[in-house]
Amino acid sequence: MLDSLIVPLFVTTDLPPGADLAEFGELLAETARTLGDGYPAFLAGNVFWLDRPVLPGQRPPAETELRFAGMLGYLAASGAGQGSREVVSDVRRAIGAAVTARYGDVGVPPAVFAIRDQDVRERTPETAIYVDTRDGAVELASATRSYL
């Protein structure tokens, strides 16, 4: 059994018009496969749109506006000496680079931060789409999925 660290995460960013939510989730999950100096990781969670509420009398956002997307989930990482801060920092860099490479510069890098375990369970919308790192390390996948 691998010695693993499990961190509840929230990831959020703006995406360009026409971006596919499932594709965004897959990008996040695959980006987390290997972090930092090459230690294995596994990301599982749910992606969803964080659209602004449209109140009576307001117009919905234009189709040309950026859309705000989020992910709530768990990151499991294995590696000697890796603490929560280091793992979150490594995944933040990896996700920032991957989102910029895929979608270009949308003004600000994605926000990636550790949250409370309880928040993942309580705040994930029912309409969210499940994603995880395909063919990730079995031990990390098992540990992470037990939290969902």
Side-chain angles (χ1 to χ4, degrees):
M1 178 71 163
L2 289 174
D3 182 26
S4 60
L5 172 70
I6 299 176
V7 181
L9 283 182
F10 179 54
V11 178
T12 186
T13 192
D14 286 321
L15 294 177
D20 181 74
L21 186 61
E23 179 186 328
F24 168 67
E26 289 174 19
L27 176 70
L28 296 180
E30 293 306 311
T31 297
R33 178 178 302 284
T34 304
L35 299 175
D37 293 328
Y39 60 91
F42 181 88
L43 179 63
N46 294 283
V47 292
F48 48 92
W49 293 115
L50 288 161
D51 291 326
R52 70 172 168 85
V54 179
L55 301 173
Q58 288 183 329
R59 285 189 286 181
E63 289 184 20
T64 58
E65 287 184 31
L66 295 173
R67 290 190 77 184
F68 203 40
M71 176 187 202
L72 286 165
Y74 295 92
L75 175 71
S78 178
Q82 300 300 330
S84 295
R85 286 181 186 251
E86 292 85 7
V87 169
V88 172
S89 179
D90 288 345
V91 78
R92 181 179 297 123
R93 275 191 297 279
I95 286 174
V99 168
T100 300
R102 170 63 183 95
Y103 300 106
D105 183 3
V106 293
V108 295
V112 180
F113 48 94
I115 59 173
R116 297 178 314 147
D117 177 52
Q118 180 179 346
D119 288 332
V120 175
R121 287 191 221 104
E122 291 178 356
R123 299 182 187 276
T124 301
E126 290 182 22
T127 57
I129 301 170
Y130 176 80
V131 295
D132 66 22
T133 306
R134 290 186 307 256
D135 303 322
V138 175
E139 296 88 354
L140 293 176
S142 297
T144 305
R145 288 181 182 138
S146 69
Y147 282 84
L148 292 171

